[in-house]
Amino acid sequence: MQLYLMRHGEAGHEAKYDRERSLTESGLYHTALMSEWLKSTGVEFQLVLVSPYLRTQQTWQEVSKHFPEPRKCKVLNELVPAADPEMAARLVLAYAEQYQAENVLVLSHMPLLGYMVSELVPGMEPPLFATSSVALVDIVGRHTELMWQQTTHSIS
């Protein structure tokens, strides 16, 4: 299975609650840039799992413009910034198995994404995720490996 972990685009700070922060113009632009790069790799997602926060929903709206519709898209409360990384990782793997998805896109937040990588790839320190960045974790049986991590700066 190929697990693509993506952080939402840059968000403003003018919302009353963290969950209501929306993407900036720069956040939309960089998300579109990363989406085009991902599309150029030839990947298509069978399953997309998204945090309920506005900025991740808006990120998915932009990403979805660049890809065919996945078989399944789910909004999960377990993908919010302060969620339990072990539970989030297990849940993502369980949904991937349930929907027999080979390519899964997870749209979430820091610090959760970094900690999820540590849960999935034993012995790995949690990497930082810039906004709109993506990491690919390859899972074959019990073997997991972080294949790459890209930012909008590294692809342009």
Side-chain angles (χ1 to χ4, degrees):
M1 172 186 22
Q2 307 271 293
L3 184 58
Y4 294 81
L5 302 172
M6 182 174 191
R7 185 177 177 197
H8 60 79
E10 177 187 80
H13 295 282
E14 49 283 335
K16 185 174 182 179
Y17 300 103
D18 183 46
R19 69 181 311 118
E20 296 171 354
R21 292 173 49 213
S22 63
L23 293 184
T24 64
E25 284 187 34
S26 177
L28 283 168
Y29 171 77
H30 286 114
T31 297
L33 191 68
M34 184 57 76
S35 299
E36 276 300 307
W37 181 83
L38 270 176
K39 181 181 174 184
S40 76
T41 69
V43 67
E44 291 185 13
F45 304 109
Q46 290 85 42
L47 174 62
V48 177
L49 303 171
V50 189
S51 159
Y53 283 25
L54 178 59
R55 59 190 176 272
T56 48
Q57 294 293 308
Q58 290 174 324
T59 299
W60 169 235
Q61 286 171 1
E62 180 57 41
V63 171
S64 69
K65 294 175 187 176
H66 303 266
F67 291 93
E69 186 173 342
R71 282 196 308 249
K72 189 69 174 173
C73 181
K74 291 191 73 65
V75 176
L76 299 177
N77 289 327
E78 293 84 359
L79 294 176
V80 298
D84 178 86
E86 181 183 2
M87 184 172 63
R90 286 185 185 180
L91 189 62
V92 166
L93 295 176
Y95 274 117
E97 184 178 331
Q98 178 182 353
Y99 293 107
Q100 299 176 342
E102 283 300 311
N103 295 308
V104 179
L105 175 63
V106 177
L107 292 158
S108 191
H109 311 264
M110 277 297 290
L112 180 64
L113 288 170
Y115 291 131
M116 282 181 66
V117 170
S118 289
E119 289 292 330
L120 294 163
V121 183
M124 180 156 192
E125 291 294 319
L128 295 176
F129 278 74
T131 53
S132 300
S133 67
V134 179
L136 171 60
V137 175
D138 186 54
I139 303 170
V140 180
R142 292 185 164 281
H143 178 77
T144 58
E145 184 178 351
L146 177 64
M147 303 303 290
W148 49 255
Q149 186 173 10
Q150 299 288 351
T151 67
T152 54
H153 299 294
S154 65
I155 63 170
S156 43

